[in-house]
Amino acid sequence: MFVAAADDSAVDDAFRSGADALCFAAAGESAAALKKMASGIAMLRLRAAPPLIFTAIADLDDGAIEACLDAIAPLAPDGLTLQDCGNGRAVRRLGALLAVKEAEAGRPDGSTRIIAMAAGTAASISELGTFAQAGQRLIALAWDAERLAAGLGVDAYPDHANAPASAMALARNLLLFAARAANVMALDSLPPGADVECLRRRCLASRREGFNGGWTRDAKAVAILNDVFA
């Protein structure tokens, strides 16, 4: 589940959601906000079965990524979600930076995992095959449906008879193939604000079509994801 770190209500909902993993959009937050979030995460990790904690970062130049990694260090995330990820080379580049940070912090090499938000631009579709060489840190490809739809000027979540033949469906299917080739999980994208029946229908379709789970910003979708993909 993606969580806006600056939204206290959203953070509280996320902590209560029962999600297997929480991904915080923490980049650019103040030191005070990160400290408060770190305190909440520490309490969350005291639970018997705490969720994995991820933080989202953009695919930036090395200097900007290093600054972001330093800023989110107090959260001690289990992994990172690389947004706007164009190819497997970006994952390997992030992995090299993480290796340095892990060594500096005395953490085991490779302990920080990566989820790549992929297939978010027309240009990135032809690069999906490169994730097979992205390295061992990569654990999942998550479909960046909303970003791709914005670039194409189409509906991110078509629900009509022609949907299987749409450009969005093609990108989604190619991401699934890429995840299988890379031997990582494929995570589908769920529409924000959809009703419970719509969410369940889409989750069932995702599982039937080969996806291993889904990502959402909607706390009410978490129980459905957990039920369908249990």
Side-chain angles (χ1 to χ4, degrees):
M1 178 180 174
F2 272 76
V3 188
D7 187 336
D8 288 344
S9 176
V11 171
D12 289 341
D13 287 345
F15 285 169
R16 295 191 297 265
S17 69
D20 292 331
L22 300 177
C23 179
F24 293 93
E29 292 296 328
S30 67
L34 290 173
K35 183 177 180 180
K36 180 180 178 182
M37 196 187 314
S39 176
I41 290 172
M43 294 296 294
L44 196 65
R45 283 175 166 153
L46 294 176
R47 294 182 181 177
L52 293 173
I53 301 298
F54 281 71
T55 52
I57 65 171
D59 184 10
L60 305 169
D61 62 79
D62 287 3
I65 287 183
E66 283 201 75
C68 184
L69 293 178
D70 289 338
I72 63 178
L75 302 182
D78 299 296
L80 300 177
T81 299
L82 185 57
Q83 297 178 298
D84 309 334
C85 186
N87 51 54
R89 296 182 297 279
V91 176
R92 293 192 73 90
R93 182 163 58 91
L94 176 58
L97 294 171
L98 283 171
V100 175
K101 298 300 181 184
E102 286 168 346
E104 291 173 348
R107 298 181 63 187
D109 181 47
S111 58
T112 308
R113 314 303 276 176
I114 299 173
I115 295 174
M117 295 288 293
T121 66
S124 69
I125 300 301
S126 63
E127 296 273 7
L128 284 169
T130 64
F131 287 106
Q133 291 82 42
Q136 295 299 310
R137 290 181 186 272
L138 183 67
I139 61 169
L141 296 181
W143 187 36
D144 201 351
E146 292 168 24
R147 184 166 182 249
L148 180 60
L152 296 178
V154 299
D155 184 359
Y157 303 100
D159 192 11
H160 51 74
N162 293 325
S166 71
M168 293 295 291
L170 174 61
R172 178 175 176 269
N173 291 339
L174 289 173
L175 179 132
L176 179 59
F177 281 122
R180 290 293 172 268
N183 197 30
V184 300
M185 294 183 293
L187 304 180
D188 205 357
S189 176
L190 293 181
D195 61 51
V196 170
E197 286 307 311
C198 175
L199 289 169
R200 180 169 293 278
R201 185 170 65 250
R202 286 186 177 273
C203 286
L204 288 169
S206 295
R207 191 183 71 171
R208 184 172 61 248
E209 292 161 12
F211 283 84
N212 305 102
W215 70 271
T216 181
R217 297 184 183 89
D218 191 345
K220 74 172 180 290
V222 171
I224 300 170
L225 279 167
N226 288 345
D227 180 50
V228 171
F229 288 99

